Structures are given as structure tokens and as C-alpha cells.
């Protein structure tokens, strides 16, 4: 069996590291052929050396120029920067599958470039579909390219669906850990600091998604992601809080049976499933053993305490550009919160205000989506300057 060539965008991040573990353990099936990262050159150089890579992209131009000057990468390495650098990696001739695991919406252009080049997509960056799901999925369909979900909930749904026809599926049920602040009162939430929001009880992840999990904006983004990945109507997607993060999501069939996917809260299970799909091989980590008592709880989400989830659902229902506006405002809000410019409840308030201020319409093409993304970001930044959040 020939090996699948893998390109890893976001190689130094949390998904990136877990992907490398899966690739190392399955070197008979998978061959890493290229990596990209944001601005940290040293860890990229270490990965390039370990895997003998010839193609690396470093998004940050300055960091890239410095790495070139210092000879950090061997002469055999073709190093590129900027969005062109990411696109070059996403379309490498040796690549069969491109793992998109960069933060936020940076992954959009390389995802589209990879689809155009006929590469399979292993999608971790949910923001890509929230921003431009309609156009990304249409491009994938037109090109006959599969978009396989790495996000654990969507990977669980994909596994539980197992190719079932649409008319047999009643709904999908996304589980949410509820984050570290599930049991705080609304008043207590006002004082949450960045340091507190950066600690997740179950998952070890990058900064942005960790804050998103604590506000449940992450589940909101995942609602919209699910809509595009599985072609669901908004009312067919339900969220349930499951603090143990063992059941990663479920599918309810029309006959009332509900199927769930379970594993420990580690991304290697979903990543391996996608990279080897449809083949199954022993995993890189111990799975559940059921040797000890394990309680699994399920609660309805509290939309008053977690307005970001409510706003995301409203944006999904409003459709058009509303999900893109939600996503842009959330990215600006999380950055501003981590920068101590706005309070924790200010994240939801800023998203709410931005959604009210930016006119919603149905974008006719990708450029219109990118324009609205930019104007929503500008609006959010202006609101931070002129309001108290
Ligand atoms: P992270 O912050 O740990 O890592 C992000 C990676 O992206 C790093 O390698 C960084 O160098 C790179 N990067 C940042 N800006 C870049 C740019 N402009 N160009 C190229 N690379 C850039 O983030 P993460 O937790 O690994 O999450 C990555 C994506 O996966 C996010 O969209 C997140 O929502 C999604 N996701 C993560 C998890 C998880 O468990 N961590 C689970 C589901 C989905
Ligand atoms: Mg998830």
C-alpha cells in the first residue's frame, strides 16, 4: 500500500503536535511532506529535521527572513512565507491530504487552494466553515474532494453517521464540556481573568479555542460547522452539556435510536480516524477501559449564562453573512479580552453589538464574505474604542 502524503498547516500547535504523534506511529501509512506555522521558526525547524522535510512555510515574513539569515533550516529546505507560502504548502504535488489546523480564519485560503488542487482536507480549523462554509463545501463538491472533520464532535458525528442516508437522520447532538465556568453565577463571571479562562478542565488546546470553550462560543462555532459539514437544518442540531468529555457527540435516527462515539478526551483519536480513513489501526493512546466506575452526565445548556452560544445559534438561523459577523466579532473579542481591553462578559456583549450594527445580507461570492469579515472586525474594534465592555 502506498503512503499518504500529509501536509500539516499549524504544525507547532496543539492539533499539530497530536497529528505528529499519529504520523510517527503510522509511518507505514503516512508520510509527512510539508509543514507550516505562524511565527515560531525553531520548533518548525526541529520537525523539519526529524521528518527530513524539504518544504516549510512560516507565515510571518520577518520571522521567515530571520530564519533564512541564520541558516536555521538546512539548504535542502524550500522555505516560504505569507499566504502564498501557506498556499504553496497546501498544493504540494506530494500531498494527498492537508491538515488545516491554524488558528482562526487564516486557514481559509490554503483550504481553498488545496481543494482546487484536488487534495483531501482534514479540517480542524472550524472558523473556515463558519466564515465561508457555503463556498468551501461547494468547491469541495465541485472538485470531488472530501472534507473530513478533525474537530472531535464532528468526527464523532461522522463516525456515527457512517454514510447513513439523510432521510434516516432525525438530528445530531453535539456535546459540550461546558468549560471551567459552568457552575459560576452570572455575577461571578464578571470577574473572570484571562489566566482563569485559559485553563480547560478536560482538554489541552491552543489559547483561542480554550477561551472559546469557556464562553461556549466554541460550541456555537461548531453548530455552524456542523450545518455545513453534514448539510443539516439549524433545528436539526442540538447541544447538550456533558462535563466529562467522553461522549464526543451523537446521532439520533428517525426510529429513535441514538448512536454515540466515546473515547478519552484526546484529539489523537479523531486525527488518526481522519488520516487513515477508512482504515482502522491501533491508536496511539489507551482508550477507555471501564475498569473503574465512570459517571456520564448530560445537562441542557444555560443560554443566559452563555450568551455566545445563543448568539451563534441566532446567527446560524439568520444565515447569510451573520455567521461570518459572529466569527469575526468573536476573534476580535477574544484577542481584546486576552489583552485585558474588555471584560469576560464583554466578549458576548461585543459580539451582540457587532451583530446588531453590521447589516446582514446573502454574500454572492467569497470576496463579499471576506469584505464583510473585514468590516465586522473594524466595527468590533471601533466598538471597543467607544464603549465599555
Ligand atoms: P494552537 O494555538 O495550539 O496552534 C495554532 C497553530 O497555527 C500553530 O502551529 C501556529 O504556529 C499556527 N499559526 C498561527 N497563525 C498562523 C498563520 N497566520 N499562518 C500559519 N500558521 C499559523 O491552536 P490549536 O488548539 O491547535 O487549534 C488550531 C485549530 O484547530 C483552531 O481552529 C481550533 O479551533 C481547531 N481545533 C482545535 C482543537 C484542539 O484540541 N486544540 C480541537 C478542535 C478544533
Ligand atoms: Mg470540538
Amino acid at each position: 500500500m502506498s503512503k499518504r502524503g500529509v501536509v500539516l498547516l499549524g504544525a507547532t500547535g496543539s492539533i499539530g503536535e497530536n497529528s505528529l504523534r499519529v504520523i510517527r506511529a503510522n509511518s507505514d501509512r503516512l508520510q509527512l511532506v510539508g509543514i507550516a506555522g505562524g511565527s515560531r521558526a525553531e520548533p518548525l525547524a526541529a520537525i523539519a529535521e526529524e521528518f527530513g522535510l524539504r518544504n516549510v512555510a512560516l507565515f510571518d515574513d520577518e520571522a521567515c527572513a530571520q530564519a533564512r539569515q541564520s541558516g536555521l533550516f538546512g539548504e535542502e529546505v524550500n522555505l516560504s512565507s505569507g499566504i502564498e507560502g501557506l498556499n504553496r504548502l497546501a498544493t504540494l504535488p506530494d500531498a494527498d491530504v492537508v491538515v488545516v489546523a491554524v488558528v482562526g480564519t487564516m486557514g481559509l485560503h490554503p483550504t481553498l487552494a488545496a481543494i482546487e488542487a484536488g487534495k483531501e482536507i482534514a479540517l480542524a480549523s472550524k472558523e473556515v466553515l463558519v466564515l465561508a462554509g457555503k463556498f468551501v463545501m461547494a468547491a469541495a463538491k465541485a472538485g470531488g474532494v472530501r472534507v473530513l472533520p478533525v474537530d472531535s464532535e464532528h468526527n464523532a458525528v461522522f463516525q456515527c453517521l457512517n454514510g447513513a442516508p439523510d432521510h434516516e437522520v432525525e438530528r445530531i447532538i453535539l456535546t459540550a464540556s461546558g468549560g471551567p465556568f459552568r457552575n459560576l453565577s452570572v455575577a461571578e463571571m464578571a470577574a473572570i481573568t484571562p489566566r482563569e479562562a485559559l485553563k480547560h478542565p478536560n482538554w489541552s488546546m491552543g489559547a483561542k479555542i480554550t477561551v472559546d470553550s469557556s464562553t461556549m462560543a466554541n460550541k456555537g462555532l461548531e453548530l455552524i460547522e456542523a450545518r455545513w459539514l453534514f448539510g443539516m437544518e439549524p433545528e436539526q442540531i442540538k447541544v447538550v452539556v456533558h462535563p466529562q468529555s467522553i461522549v464526543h457527540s451523537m446521532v439520533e435516527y428517525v426510529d429513535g435510536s441514538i448512536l454515540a462515539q466515546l473515547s478519552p478526551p484526546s484529539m489523537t483519536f479523531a486525527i488518526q480516524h481522519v488520516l487513515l480513513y477508512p482504515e482502522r489501526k491501533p491508536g496511539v493512546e489507551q482508550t477507555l477501559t471501564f475498569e473503574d466506575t465512570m459517571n456520564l452526565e448530560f445537562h441542557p445548556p444555560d443560554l443566559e449564562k452563555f450568551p455566545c452560544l445563543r448568539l451563534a445559534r441566532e446567527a446560524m438561523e439568520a444565515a447569510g453573512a451573520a455567521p461570518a459577523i459572529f466569527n469575526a466579532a468573536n476573534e476580535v473579542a477574544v484577542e481584546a479580552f486576552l489583552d485585558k481591553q474588555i471584560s469576560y462578559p464583554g466578549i458576548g456583549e461585543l459580539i451582540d453589538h457587532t451583530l446588531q450594527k453590521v447589516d446582514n445580507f446573502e454574500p454572492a461570492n467569497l470576496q463579499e464574505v471576506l469584505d464583510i469579515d473585514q468590516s465586522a472586525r473594524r466595527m468590533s474594534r471601533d466598538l471597543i474604542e467607544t464603549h465599555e465592555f
Side-chain angles (χ1 to χ4, degrees):
M1 194 184 268
S2 70
K3 292 190 192 182
R4 303 186 79 203
V6 182
V7 162
L8 188 48
L9 307 179
T12 56
S14 156
I15 292 285
E17 276 177 26
N18 281 311
S19 302
L20 292 174
R21 291 173 69 192
V22 169
I23 294 167
R24 282 188 197 102
N26 292 283
S27 56
D28 57 330
R29 293 284 191 274
L30 304 171
Q31 172 97 50
L32 188 63
V33 297
I35 52 172
S39 56
R40 295 190 306 134
E42 279 86 5
L44 279 181
I47 300 166
E49 189 173 333
E50 177 189 344
F51 289 87
L53 300 180
R54 293 179 172 274
N55 290 291
V56 176
L58 192 54
F59 180 76
D60 190 288
D61 290 325
E62 220 169 279
C64 188
Q66 255 176 26
R68 264 203 201 99
Q69 230 173 20
S70 65
L72 186 63
F73 292 86
E75 267 180 19
E76 69 289 356
V77 175
N78 186 346
L79 187 63
S80 47
S81 71
I83 200 76
E84 301 76 25
L86 299 185
N87 290 347
R88 185 180 72 79
L89 265 284
T91 56
L92 283 180
D94 296 352
D96 299 300
V97 54
V98 178
V99 181
V100 182
V102 299
V103 186
T105 35
M106 270 323 292
L108 177 62
H109 287 291
T111 302
L112 286 168
I115 289 173
E116 231 165 79
K119 315 292 186 194
E120 187 162 290
I121 306 295
L123 188 66
S125 304
K126 58 200 79 189
E127 295 90 344
V128 167
L129 289 186
V130 176
L131 177 65
K134 184 168 140 185
F135 301 102
V136 172
M137 294 312 284
K141 197 170 172 197
V145 167
R146 278 198 303 226
V147 179
L148 298 178
V150 169
D151 207 348
S152 55
E153 294 76 6
H154 306 76
N155 184 264
V157 169
F158 179 60
Q159 294 200 44
C160 294
L161 281 173
N162 201 21
D166 291 350
H167 68 268
E168 290 185 358
V169 178
E170 184 71 17
R171 63 173 60 84
I172 61 183
I173 303 160
L174 301 180
T175 54
S177 72
F181 309 131
R182 197 168 50 87
N183 296 321
L184 295 190
S185 67
V186 172
E188 287 169 322
M189 288 175 90
I192 291 167
T193 63
R195 187 203 279 258
E196 290 166 326
L198 285 171
K199 275 195 209 128
H200 194 281
N202 304 346
W203 296 92
S204 153
M205 309 181 286
K208 197 235 166 200
I209 182 173
T210 303
V211 176
D212 282 351
S213 297
S214 78
T215 62
M216 293 193 78
N218 182 53
K219 212 49 52 182
L221 296 171
E222 291 182 355
L223 277 176
I224 303 165
E225 181 187 13
R227 172 165 176 41
W228 293 117
L229 277 172
F230 305 115
M232 293 280 157
E233 292 304 320
E235 58 277 11
Q236 283 181 290
I237 316 171
K238 201 178 163 84
V239 170
V240 61
V241 174
H242 164 52
Q244 291 79 16
S245 300
I246 295 291
V247 173
H248 296 298
S249 279
M250 301 178 260
V251 173
E252 179 181 331
Y253 284 89
V254 287
D255 61 3
S257 271
I258 299 176
L259 300 195
Q261 185 265 342
L262 285 71
S263 58
S266 164
M267 292 304 295
T268 60
F269 295 93
I271 293 167
Q272 174 160 324
H273 177 257
V274 161
L275 289 183
L276 297 185
Y277 183 79
E279 192 184 10
R280 291 202 187 254
K281 293 206 7 182
V284 299
E285 284 176 273
Q286 169 80 58
T287 190
L288 306 168
T289 60
F290 301 99
E291 293 297 324
D292 298 311
T293 303
M294 180 170 65
N295 291 312
L296 301 180
E297 295 164 56
F298 300 94
H299 311 279
D302 182 339
L303 296 182
E304 219 171 292
K305 255 163 64 174
F306 295 102
C308 294
L309 179 56
R310 174 178 56 81
L311 291 163
R313 183 173 284 282
E314 287 168 10
M316 172 173 68
E317 285 163 356
I325 300 168
F326 172 90
N327 177 63
N330 182 54
E331 281 193 34
V332 173
V334 170
E335 254 174 54
F337 166 68
L338 290 176
D339 231 21
K340 300 196 171 147
Q341 292 173 45
I342 65 172
S343 70
Y344 188 79
I347 297 174
E349 288 163 24
L350 181 64
I351 297 171
D352 195 0
H353 275 60
T354 308
L355 278 163
Q356 288 177 36
K357 290 265 185 186
V358 181
D359 285 337
N360 188 15
F361 66 97
E362 187 63 49
N365 51 48
L366 192 65
Q367 191 52 51
E368 288 188 9
V369 177
L370 296 173
D371 291 346
I372 192 122
D373 172 64
Q374 288 306 313
S375 50
R377 281 167 204 267
R378 269 196 306 276
M379 176 60 76
S380 294
R381 290 194 194 102
D382 287 352
L383 286 168
I384 292 173
E385 304 269 300
T386 53
H387 285 64
E388 285 279 305
F389 287 104

